[in-house]
Amino acid sequence: MRGKKIVLGITGSIAAYKACLIIREFVKKGAEVQVVITPAGKEFITPITLSALTKKPVISEFFSQRDGTWNSHVDLGLWADAMVIAPCTASTLGKMAGGVADNMLITTYLSMKAPVFVAPAMDLDMYAHPSTQQNLKTIQSYGNIIIEPQSGFLASGLEGKGRMEEPEVIVKTVEDYLNRDKDLKGKNIMITAGPTYEKIDPVRFIGNYSSGKMGFALAEECASRGADVTLIAGPVALTTKNCSIKRIDVESCEEMFVAAKENFKCADAAILCAAVADFRPEAIASTKIKREKDNLNITLAPTHDIAAALGEMKSANQTLVGFALETNNEEENAKGKLKRKNLDFIVLNSTRNEGTTFRSNDNKITIISENEYKEYAKKPKTEVARDIIDELVRKMKN
């Protein structure tokens, strides 16, 4: 942890006193700690105590003086190697999930480029409430790492799950994450993500429901493991967190095809996660097509098969990963695609698995290669990304 920079967020929980122990553990390991505390948090522990431990002024308000100086949440988001919110109350969870930026801690969180670790602390009924559980799922889908609370004696006098994890465990979790192997360091990984839009006229298109969440999660996972990532993204409403991700925005299959072929030349591996339209209108109207009495007939032509094209280009030292979204005969269709397109392995998912695939924060996959078949449980796409990249690393080493 020596030289690592940690932003420690403290919220209004009785467990706030344990933040002193978290700071002490980080400092003992050589880390630099900057505390950001909510106004409610200061009711439980004083900034003087925290400042004495960190050797830094505690940040709580946007404006610390009346002289025009202010605290920059953006600078903190760029400075840190990790952000830890411990303790994290139900209120703060809700604000994180909904992007309610009404205090310095939440604005710092929304600006954070580094991994965010969240250690909830609250009474058992609050923790078990459906809204709290949904907020936890939501922020986990954003890529945050949840450090689960433990069962034990609570401040209310009751006993149950909601007790913040012990400071030593929190620090060890962060340390293990930051020190994990950079097993893709020096590798160039190309990833396609999102849908493509194929124009009918200036205001209409043929497309699909892909949100790009899976592809973006894969890009973040690869970047966190040391890879140089080129993300070719169709039209999506997503942003990247890791500054090392090179993003190329495209709209049509044609644009994605050109970008993919060019960038695959220098890639060690490519993951084709995009939901590319299989057909496009043969002719694009130059003006908006008006409603008429007769039915509108649109003649469709096939688009480029990006996976097949890259499969033909692939050299012996390159790894190519595809995706198969199926509605029926899932395994058979995926195995056929694996062979036809010269893929090293294929990630299969199905529209029949409720609450997964398009627009969802979760996914349930099966990884299929020539001689292996691995099924995984339904989980957040950020965790699915780790499973896929673990398999990619294994294939690349072999």
Side-chain angles (χ1 to χ4, degrees):
M1 292 292 290
R2 187 161 301 280
K4 297 296 185 184
K5 299 177 176 66
I6 309 296
V7 170
L8 177 61
I10 303 172
T11 68
S13 164
I14 189 64
Y17 77 91
K18 293 185 179 180
C20 295
L21 303 175
I22 295 173
I23 293 168
R24 187 177 69 175
E25 286 296 313
F26 275 130
V27 171
K28 278 169 60 179
K29 291 177 181 291
E32 191 177 342
V33 181
Q34 174 63 66
V35 170
V36 179
I37 191 169
T38 64
K42 291 189 290 185
E43 299 294 326
F44 291 89
I45 188 166
T46 68
I48 293 173
T49 301
L50 300 168
S51 182
L53 292 169
T54 62
K55 306 295 189 291
K56 289 178 177 291
V58 170
I59 296 174
S60 180
E61 308 296 337
F62 296 107
F63 309 103
S64 54
Q65 305 289 338
R66 296 280 183 182
D67 60 1
T69 59
W70 62 294
N71 293 309
S72 174
H73 53 279
V74 175
D75 289 346
L76 284 171
L78 295 169
W79 173 81
D81 293 297
M83 182 177 189
V84 183
I85 304 176
C88 184
T89 60
S91 175
T92 296
L93 276 176
K95 291 177 181 180
M96 292 169 68
V100 181
D102 65 347
N103 62 47
M104 187 66 189
L105 190 152
I106 299 298
T107 56
T108 301
Y109 159 72
L110 292 173
S111 300
M112 187 55 57
K113 299 294 184 184
V116 179
F117 299 80
V118 181
M122 62 198 74
D123 210 62
L124 74 165
D125 292 326
M126 294 179 70
Y127 183 74
H129 195 278
S131 63
T132 302
Q133 292 302 307
Q134 183 58 52
N135 287 334
L136 283 166
K137 289 179 182 177
T138 298
I139 68 168
Q140 192 173 37
S141 75
Y142 298 159
N144 299 307
I145 299 157
I146 308 300
I147 302 175
E148 288 280 332
Q150 298 303 306
S151 294
F153 186 75
L154 304 172
S156 63
L158 300 173
E159 194 162 343
K161 189 167 185 177
R163 180 186 178 93
M164 188 179 82
E165 181 59 274
E166 293 305 315
E168 297 84 358
V169 177
I170 292 172
V171 173
K172 182 70 163 54
T173 300
V174 177
E175 182 180 25
D176 287 349
Y177 184 93
L178 293 180
N179 291 335
R180 63 183 179 165
D181 289 339
K182 296 292 185 181
D183 46 17
L184 287 175
K185 189 172 179 62
K187 300 296 184 182
N188 292 302
I189 310 295
M190 185 192 84
I191 299 170
T192 65
T196 64
Y197 289 173
E198 311 303 327
K199 284 186 177 179
I200 297 171
D201 63 19
V203 297
R204 301 183 183 92
F205 61 86
I206 294 172
N208 57 62
Y209 295 118
S210 175
S211 64
K213 290 177 181 178
M214 190 69 253
F216 274 63
L218 288 165
E220 297 288 353
E221 180 67 16
C222 287
S224 74
R225 293 163 78 153
D228 295 316
V229 179
T230 299
L231 175 63
I232 304 172
V236 296
L238 297 174
T239 58
T240 53
K241 292 183 179 179
N242 197 303
C243 299
S244 68
I245 297 172
K246 175 189 172 185
R247 178 171 174 175
I248 301 171
D249 288 310
V250 299
E251 181 176 87
S252 67
C253 173
E254 177 68 30
E255 292 170 344
M256 185 171 284
F257 176 69
V258 171
K261 282 189 69 177
E262 181 62 30
N263 286 277
F264 187 58
K265 294 174 185 176
C266 57
D268 295 291
I271 307 172
L272 306 180
C273 186
V276 182
D278 293 318
F279 298 94
R280 60 171 178 79
E282 272 193 351
I284 302 172
S286 59
T287 58
K288 181 181 176 182
I289 299 170
K290 298 298 184 181
R291 181 189 293 272
E292 303 290 347
K293 291 181 180 179
D294 296 330
N295 293 333
L296 175 64
N297 294 313
I298 300 175
T299 303
L300 299 178
T303 58
H304 295 289
D305 189 332
I306 297 175
L310 298 191
E312 289 180 6
M313 288 176 59
K314 187 179 73 165
S315 64
N317 62 350
Q318 288 179 304
T319 304
L320 187 60
V321 180
F323 271 67
L325 174 62
E326 302 293 342
T327 60
N328 62 296
N329 299 327
E330 287 93 337
E331 185 179 343
E332 181 184 344
N333 290 334
K335 285 182 175 179
K337 186 174 181 180
L338 173 76
K339 187 173 182 179
R340 287 194 315 275
K341 304 193 180 184
N342 194 24
L343 305 174
D344 291 278
F345 68 89
I346 193 163
V347 180
L348 168 65
N349 49 24
S350 173
T351 56
R352 293 198 284 186
N353 293 325
E354 189 175 346
T356 65
T357 68
F358 288 148
R359 296 177 176 173
S360 173
N361 293 324
D362 298 328
N363 207 349
K364 184 179 187 303
I365 66 165
T366 302
I367 293 179
I368 302 173
S369 58
E370 186 177 3
N371 300 312
E372 290 183 296
Y373 182 93
K374 297 180 181 178
E375 270 192 279
Y376 296 81
K378 178 181 174 180
K379 58 183 75 173
K381 286 179 177 176
T382 50
E383 294 183 21
V384 173
R386 290 179 203 135
D387 293 333
I388 295 170
I389 302 309
D390 284 345
E391 183 67 16
L392 174 66
V393 169
R394 192 174 72 85
K395 287 287 185 188
M396 292 176 74
K397 283 182 179 177
N398 290 339

